[in-house]
Amino acid sequence: MPSARFRTRRRYRRTAALAAVVTMATALAACSGDSGPEATDHPVVVASTDVWASVAQAVAGENADVSALFDTPGGDPHEFEPTTSDTAEVLDANVIVMNGGHYDAYMESAANEAEGKKVVALPGHEGHDHDHDHDHEAGGTGHGDSEGHSHAEEHAFYDFAVVADTADDIAGALAEVAPVHADAYRANAKRFRADVDNLRGRLATLRDAHPDTRVAATEPLATGLLNAAGIKDVAPAGFSAAIEEGQSPSAADRAAFEDLLRGRKVSALIYNVQAVDPATEAILSVADANRVPIVNFTETLPKGVDDYVAWQSSQIAQLGRALGRG
């Protein structure tokens, strides 16, 4: 995949990025009357992040070119600000893949001006071309149910049922663009779903082996995964919300979080290594000092990894080892 144009800067509210992309996309559309995807049997797919690009690649195989706007290991995708050329790539793409839920607002805005097929993982948003009525397993909600799916949980790529359904969406979009490869796209999506189902099976095994497990997460990143494993995140809600918004948690929330760790009231600390500030670093230090197992989760693919299933498989293994020690 081509590298993303990422510039490190302090966290800013996503509304600022949203406004910038709206202006950029409008200008591009005005200047390029012939902008838009060309008919082809080898589609161009542009995803917002490398995670969704990896899902698209699993479906497309050799029958499409797939790239991501953001693919910087260790970087914070919330801080990504696309360039004019990034937005031009979106406008020229045959298929556009995004998380939705304002997680990747820059892509949502650029896609509003685009003519390519749009695939949005989270339901209930304009541009979601492929609605579903699939049901999750016990404890979940239907992918197509905008009432049932919590929009507060924006990290759709940690909800394996949603990811598998989105792969089907991508196959459908690609099949419309390049019908000659429709069977291959759908077969790839079917294989991908089987691999994801295996991941879900491993989470069920964790749930059975470690019932009533409590952990504390610095940010509500892997909520979908933890729920599927029957694991309850008991971190102070105010702490998690502050970290997610790029703010400093209150002293009371920090003290409550530290009390969970010092008293070993949780089996593990779930640490988002891409949302780090002095407050999370202090929590990490307390966990380490009190021998609370630490599970490092990422928001995008780690360096050297380009396969969604391999990425999540590794994280599930890490979680299992931590619970065995906790």
Side-chain angles (χ1 to χ4, degrees), residues 251-263:
D253 284 331
R254 288 182 63 165
F257 205 136
E258 291 179 5
D259 179 66
L260 289 173
L261 301 173
R262 290 196 174 98

Side-chain angles (χ1 to χ4, degrees), residues 160-211:
F160 292 159
V162 171
V163 171
D165 286 344
T166 302
D168 288 341
D169 286 350
I170 294 169
L174 286 169
E176 289 187 48
V177 172
V180 67
H181 302 305
D183 288 346
Y185 296 141
R186 293 191 174 107
N188 288 342
K190 185 177 181 180
R191 281 191 292 271
F192 180 80
R193 177 178 286 276
D195 289 339
V196 171
D197 283 345
N198 286 336
L199 296 178
R200 296 173 75 183
R202 289 171 59 187
L203 293 178
T205 299
L206 280 182
R207 183 179 62 232
D208 293 340
H210 304 280

Side-chain angles (χ1 to χ4, degrees), residues 209-283:
H210 304 280
D212 303 318
T213 295
R214 291 157 41 106
V215 300
T218 54
E219 187 188 20
L221 170 62
T223 302
L225 184 152
L226 296 176
N227 286 344
I231 297 171
K232 185 175 182 180
D233 177 10
V234 296
F239 185 101
S240 301
I243 296 302
E244 191 169 30
E245 293 301 321
Q247 300 172 359
S248 297
S250 69
D253 284 331
R254 288 182 63 165
F257 205 136
E258 291 179 5
D259 179 66
L260 289 173
L261 301 173
R262 290 196 174 98
R264 294 186 61 85
K265 299 174 183 178
V266 293
S267 297
L269 171 68
I270 308 298
Y271 194 75
N272 182 354
V273 299
Q274 288 172 260
V276 175
D277 69 5
T280 65
E281 289 175 336
I283 289 297

Side-chain angles (χ1 to χ4, degrees), residues 36-43 94 177:
E38 298 180 359
T40 179
D41 61 359
H42 193 81
N94 300 103
V177 172

Side-chain angles (χ1 to χ4, degrees), residues 108-163:
E108 293 180 54
S109 300
N112 283 337
E113 304 293 335
E115 298 176 8
K117 297 289 180 181
K118 303 171 188 69
V119 177
V120 186
L122 288 179
H125 297 279
E126 291 183 4
H128 190 175
D129 290 344
H130 305 276
D131 290 330
H132 292 279
D133 193 24
H134 299 305
D135 290 329
H136 290 279
E137 293 178 351
T141 60
H143 175 50
D145 182 1
S146 60
E147 295 295 327
H149 195 288
S150 171
H151 286 202
E153 174 41 51
E154 62 181 16
H155 304 104
F157 43 90
Y158 269 100
D159 186 324
F160 292 159
V162 171
V163 171

